[in-house]
Amino acid sequence: MLNFFNLIITDIKISLRKKNESIISILFFIFSILILPLIFQGDKDILKRFLIGIIWFLTLLTIIFSIEKLFENDYEDGTLDQIYISGIPLETIFLSKSLSVWIITCLPIIILTPLLILLFDLQAEKIINIVISLLIGTPILCMIGAVTSALVLGFNKGTSIISLITLPLYIPVLIFGIEASNSEIIFNQISQEFKILIGYLLIVVAISPWIGGLALRLKYR
Amino acid sequence: MSFFEIKNISCIRGNKLLFKNLNFKINNKELLVIKGANGSGKTTLLKILSGLLKPISGSIIINKKNINILKDEYFKYFEYIGHENAIKTALTVRENLNFYLKIKRNLTTKNFEKAIKIFNLKDLLDIKVENLSSGEKRRVSLSRLILSNSKIWFLDEPTNGLDKINTVNFFKILKQHLQLNGLAIVASHDDIKIKNKNINLSVN
């Protein structure tokens, strides 16, 4: 358990030092949202209707950009080998990497989203919905991305095909994430979309470490 | 009975047979040097010995136990310095060493000062690795050997990037390790002056 946190802390420290790389994906997200009024020519109604979908789509793109080479640096500089022979299970390595990329990329997005949305006069309760659905949905996106990254590790050819194969797995998160963000929370009643999203999260949390660990293990055969 | 033994190890990488039925034994205080041209499989053999790759056949025996039975326990027996330095350029030398001290069970803080002194890293400790020369990076990587209390050293071109003085210094350290009942298996193109067994891998 201690090793799990050591790996995460080191990853966060490295990404904070490599400011350019980590900030660029967040800047991409912010600027993309800020230029939306230009794209919709100031039509607030259309913008409001599509805003949530756009936020989810941009979140997905930001995660895909940041997660593509999640294990690559460690693999190429020999660190992954050293972590592996330190006896830390590959599943733990996978989980720590997924969590660190979530902290580095998704947490700033989740914090920034309400502030950015305020610029577009969206209802306060929708903002809460978006934040909660992002909190549930982004770990799913990160874990699917991390599995893809583990699968393509060390392959020079066919990486785009493997990336395409896992692409459909993101789509339910987008569909239910957007629906959950738009759904109405009536007192303590959780909407169906939130339940499905939570269900998907639990499945991904339960399965992805094993698939990710297995994909990494293929490199050590 | 030797402390470390490999029996009939064969390896194919990318449809290419690298070696077939390779056997050797090595005991305390002994050094085995793996020689061979580029592409002959020296790095692959070291990776197999350190459990990073699996051979297609054969077995590795340490202290009378097969490493497949030992599983993760095997990792504490050795320290592996690969072709890559396995250090993070965004971190300082101290942070890199501390990272490994935290995650590797075979490393101990007890020898931290000694490692710094031997590899002359005192002035580099709080400098980011990205600002170091390739020889300095190699010294940081090699300093893990001193931190380690493992009996076996697996070293892949350990003197890569080192200048003459540091190369001589490194071989002194290797000799001391062997005198203290250690074992080492080194893939190297250097002319090693320490008494050693050697195997020569051919490209075909």
Side-chain angles (χ1 to χ4, degrees), chain B residues 31-35 196-200:
Chain B
L31 166 69
L32 179 86
V33 179
I34 306 167
K35 299 239 172 227
N196 62 64
K197 291 178 172 180
N198 64 67
I199 51 170
N200 217 324

Side-chain angles (χ1 to χ4, degrees), chain A residues 34-214:
Chain A
L34 288 180
I35 60 163
L36 285 179
L38 290 176
I39 297 168
F40 290 97
Q41 296 172 338
D43 191 331
K44 270 192 175 179
D45 292 333
I46 301 179
L47 184 55
K48 270 186 188 176
R49 206 188 311 156
F50 290 110
L51 185 62
I52 290 172
I54 293 170
I55 287 172
W56 268 98
F57 184 65
L58 287 174
T59 306
L60 173 65
L61 283 186
T62 312
I63 291 172
I64 289 177
F65 287 149
S66 347
I67 219 161
E68 198 187 357
K69 294 192 170 174
L70 185 63
F71 298 97
E72 191 111 338
N73 285 341
D74 284 352
Y75 184 65
E76 279 177 357
D77 68 15
T79 313
L80 193 63
D81 287 353
Q82 292 295 336
I83 298 173
Y84 176 64
I85 58 175
S86 69
I88 301 175
L90 289 167
E91 291 77 12
T92 307
I93 299 172
F94 174 87
L95 261 182
S96 76
K97 282 275 165 193
S98 308
L99 190 56
S100 52
V101 82
W102 184 80
I103 293 170
I104 294 159
T105 312
C106 299
L107 213 51
I109 288 179
I110 296 168
I111 294 167
L112 284 170
T113 300
L115 302 174
L116 290 168
I117 288 177
L118 280 176
L119 299 172
F120 301 101
D121 293 337
L122 219 69
Q123 294 158 288
E125 64 181 46
K126 279 221 168 137
I127 294 177
I128 296 167
N129 276 13
I130 293 175
V131 171
I132 296 172
S133 59
L134 282 174
L135 275 171
I136 303 167
T138 48
I140 309 176
L141 299 176
C142 283
M143 285 188 155
I144 295 169
V147 167
T148 314
S149 184
L151 281 169
V152 300
L153 184 66
F155 281 108
N156 295 323
K157 293 172 188 170
T159 53
S160 47
I161 292 171
I162 298 173
S163 305
L164 280 176
I165 290 169
T166 55
L167 209 55
L169 295 172
Y170 294 117
I171 294 171
V173 187
L174 287 196
I175 294 170
F176 293 106
I178 294 167
E179 287 297 316
S181 307
N182 279 318
S183 68
E184 304 221 341
I185 298 176
I186 309 157
F187 295 106
N188 294 329
Q189 199 77 32
I190 300 170
S191 74
Q192 205 70 22
E193 293 82 4
F194 268 114
K195 284 179 187 167
I196 294 171
L197 209 55
I198 292 168
Y200 195 18
L201 173 67
L202 294 177
I203 291 170
V204 170
V205 168
I207 294 176
S208 70
W210 310 115
I211 301 175
L214 203 67

Side-chain angles (χ1 to χ4, degrees), chain A residues 3 6-7 10 13-14 17-18 73-89 219-221, chain B residues 13 47 50-54 72 75 78-80 84-88 90-91 95 99-100 102-105 128 144:
Chain A
N3 283 332
N6 281 330
L7 292 177
T10 307
K13 206 186 273 179
I14 290 169
R17 298 268 170 88
K18 287 182 173 176
N73 285 341
D74 284 352
Y75 184 65
E76 279 177 357
D77 68 15
T79 313
L80 193 63
D81 287 353
Q82 292 295 336
I83 298 173
Y84 176 64
I85 58 175
S86 69
I88 301 175
K219 304 290 160 274
Y220 295 110
R221 288 210 172 270
Chain B
R13 301 295 287 171
K47 285 195 169 187
S50 42
L52 289 166
L53 291 175
K54 298 262 184 290
D72 289 356
F75 296 141
F78 66 86
E79 186 56 36
Y80 166 72
E84 294 81 20
N85 290 317
I87 45 178
K88 289 289 167 199
L91 300 180
E95 285 167 336
F99 170 67
Y100 284 118
K102 280 175 193 163
I103 66 161
K104 295 190 90 172
R105 285 173 293 173
K128 272 194 203 171
R144 282 207 314 271

